[in-house]
């Protein structure tokens, strides 16, 4: 089997910082803790953050079922837009309402979490190859009991992937692969080869067809650094639990988490999605802080400054739908900053 490492890395980047990743963290937190040797990585500076105010009254409600939101401020004639994506979705579940296309046409620039063109740039991807692996000579085999490691190895081997190339990869990346047809994608067929679509890639095509500017709120390097903030032992536990959950879903013993997320997305239920991702336990709150909340707090000043800049045209922000809802989601934080954010139906 011919494996395209660029295709594989591209897909990993698309799905790593997603609602599914935080859902995996929640499942792992509920699981019994294993006494195993761990190799925690140094904390990233982004983990030391002040807690943002909880803005419950400004968050979207359960009846606010829209993925598209209009952003406006006094004195700015042209509105901007906020759209919630799901980074990777089965092709048969993909949809793009006409109102979203119209909002793109009315905007001068599309801004994503990271510029999707970077994820297709071989030179930039090559520079990240060393960043997807754990530090030192740590291997997944060092982090799990032998029985659990054997189950993980069997899962990826049965999926048609040579597991030896993944042994030193940060386990949270592997968690994001669970439930996906990674073999078909990695063989060079891309997401379509695996029966999947990426909203980021589809929106980029529309932007390029309309000669729109394209940008990103973050860099690939920053997103990869988030995984260095979670101890490798905890990541390995999440991976094992993700495989357990996937196996239970296939057997009909438990709901499939990816199917549940896709269902919420198709219903455009961003408030429900936020409550599904959130969890009151301290451990999950930490992962949510790293992967969602702190990033929301970083984005809002950028969005505010961009739309208030002199002669700024309309912007179209496309970020994971899991970032939109909730008391510390992007919509509540924008409203808390005095910006009007309204659903578009």
């Amino acid at each position: 089997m011919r494996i395209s490492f660029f295709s594989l890395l591209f897909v990993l980047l698309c799905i790593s910082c997603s609602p599914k990743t935080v859902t995996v963290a929640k499942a792992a937190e509920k699981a019994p803790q294993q006494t195993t040797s761990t190799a925690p990585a140094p904390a990233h500076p982004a983990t030391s953050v002040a807690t943002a105010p909880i803005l419950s009254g400004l968050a979207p409600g359960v009846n606010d079922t829209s993925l598209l939101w209009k952003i406006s401020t006094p004195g700015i004639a042209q509105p901007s837009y906020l759209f919630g994506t799901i980074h990777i979705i089965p092709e048969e579940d993909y949809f793009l309402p006409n109102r979203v296309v119209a909002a793109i046409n009315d905007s001068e620039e599309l801004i994503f979490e990271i510029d999707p063109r970077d994820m297709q740039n071989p030179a930039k991807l090559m520079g990240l190859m060393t960043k997807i692996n754990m530090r030192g000579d740590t291997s997944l085999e060092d982090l799990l009991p032998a029985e659990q490691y054997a189950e993980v190895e069997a899962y990826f081997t049965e999926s048609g992937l040579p597991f030896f190339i993944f042994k030193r990869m940060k386990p949270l990346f592997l968690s994001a692969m669970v439930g996906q047809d990674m073999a078909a994608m990695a063989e060079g067929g891309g997401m379509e080869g695996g029966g999947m679509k990426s909203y980021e890639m589809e929106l980029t095509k529309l932007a390029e067809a309309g000669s729109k500017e394209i940008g990103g709120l973050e860099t690939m390097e920053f997103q990869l650094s988030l995984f260095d903030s979670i101890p490798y032992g905890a990541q390995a536990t999440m991976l094992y639990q993700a495989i357990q959950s996937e196996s239970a879903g296939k057997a009909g013993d438990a709901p499939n988490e990816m199917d549940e997320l896709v269902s919420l997305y198709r219903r455009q239920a961003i408030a429900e999605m936020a409550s599904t991702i959130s969890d009151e336990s301290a451990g999950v709150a930490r992962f949510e802080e790293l992967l969602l909340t702190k990033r929301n707090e970083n984005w809002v000043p950028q969005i505010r400054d961009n739309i208030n800049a002199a002669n700024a045209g309309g912007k179209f922000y496309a970020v994971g739908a899991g970032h939109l809802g909730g008391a510390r989601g992007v919509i509540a934080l924008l409203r808390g900053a005095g910006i009007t954010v309204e659903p578009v139906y």
Side-chain angles (χ1 to χ4, degrees):
M1 178 175 66
R2 179 174 62 88
I3 295 290
S4 168
F5 287 97
F6 288 140
S7 295
L8 188 60
L9 183 54
F10 163 70
V11 175
L12 286 174
L13 286 168
C14 281
I15 61 181
S16 57
C17 289
S18 67
K20 178 185 175 184
T21 309
V22 186
T23 304
V24 167
K26 181 168 69 175
E29 184 68 19
K30 293 177 180 178
Q33 295 298 309
Q34 302 292 333
T35 304
T36 61
S37 60
T38 60
H44 189 273
T47 62
S48 299
V49 298
T51 301
I54 296 178
L55 308 170
S56 302
L58 302 180
V62 293
N63 295 323
D64 294 324
T65 51
S66 178
L67 295 169
L68 181 66
W69 295 70
K70 184 172 73 172
I71 304 171
S72 55
T73 57
I76 304 297
Q78 189 171 359
S80 292
Y81 294 92
L82 176 66
F83 177 66
T85 71
I86 187 168
H87 300 313
I88 184 169
I89 191 171
E91 195 166 3
E92 64 269 20
D93 290 315
Y94 175 84
F95 69 103
L96 192 66
N98 290 335
R99 63 183 181 273
V100 176
V101 178
I104 291 173
N105 290 337
D106 290 342
S107 302
E108 295 184 8
E109 182 179 11
L110 271 70
I111 302 175
F112 300 88
E113 294 182 22
I114 57 178
D115 189 332
R117 297 170 302 178
D118 290 347
M119 295 190 291
Q120 295 178 306
N121 184 323
K124 290 190 176 183
L125 289 177
M126 183 62 75
L128 297 176
M129 291 301 290
T130 59
K131 297 182 183 295
I132 67 173
N133 289 333
M134 292 182 276
R135 298 177 187 271
D137 58 356
T138 303
S139 168
L140 184 62
E141 202 166 3
D142 302 324
L143 305 174
L144 290 172
E147 300 81 6
Q148 293 186 8
Y149 177 80
E151 288 185 48
V152 173
E153 182 176 30
Y155 175 85
F156 284 98
T157 301
E158 290 168 6
S159 299
L161 293 170
F163 189 66
F164 72 90
I165 67 174
F166 300 129
K167 289 183 177 181
R168 294 190 56 242
M169 188 177 289
K170 294 170 185 174
L172 214 51
F173 277 114
L174 299 180
S175 298
M177 295 167 61
V178 173
Q180 313 293 341
D181 189 356
M182 297 297 296
M185 297 179 195
E187 284 179 337
M191 292 200 184
E192 288 76 9
M196 309 296 284
K197 274 185 175 289
S198 161
Y199 271 91
E200 282 72 17
M201 292 299 106
E202 298 303 315
L203 295 178
T204 297
K205 292 176 187 176
L206 290 176
E208 291 176 336
S211 300
K212 309 289 185 182
E213 296 291 328
I214 300 174
L217 293 165
E218 298 172 340
T219 64
M220 291 190 293
E221 290 80 3
F222 173 77
Q223 286 205 354
L224 289 172
S225 75
L226 295 173
F227 296 93
D228 285 330
S229 302
I230 301 174
Y232 295 150
Q235 292 188 36
T237 299
M238 294 180 211
L239 170 60
Y240 176 73
Q241 291 299 323
I243 291 173
Q244 291 284 295
S245 176
E246 172 70 12
S247 299
K250 285 183 177 179
D253 298 331
N256 181 284
E257 290 171 352
M258 184 63 181
D259 290 346
E260 288 185 327
L261 284 174
V262 169
S263 175
L264 288 172
Y265 186 79
R266 286 186 56 82
R267 291 195 288 110
Q268 306 186 57
I270 61 170
E272 291 181 58
M273 187 176 293
S275 63
T276 298
I277 293 170
S278 295
D279 192 288
E280 293 181 358
S281 74
V284 173
R286 170 174 167 76
F287 298 135
E288 185 180 358
E289 179 81 19
L290 290 169
L291 299 177
L292 292 176
T293 306
K294 176 55 183 173
R295 297 168 67 210
N296 296 345
E297 295 167 7
N298 290 339
W299 294 346
V300 166
Q302 294 185 60
I303 295 172
R304 180 195 60 213
D305 293 346
N306 284 344
I307 64 177
N308 287 330
N311 302 317
K315 313 289 185 184
F316 184 98
Y317 293 92
V319 301
H323 291 277
L324 268 58
R328 295 168 72 188
V330 173
I331 292 171
L333 293 174
L334 285 171
R335 287 172 169 173
I339 297 170
T340 300
V341 187
E342 304 167 294
V344 180
Y345 296 109

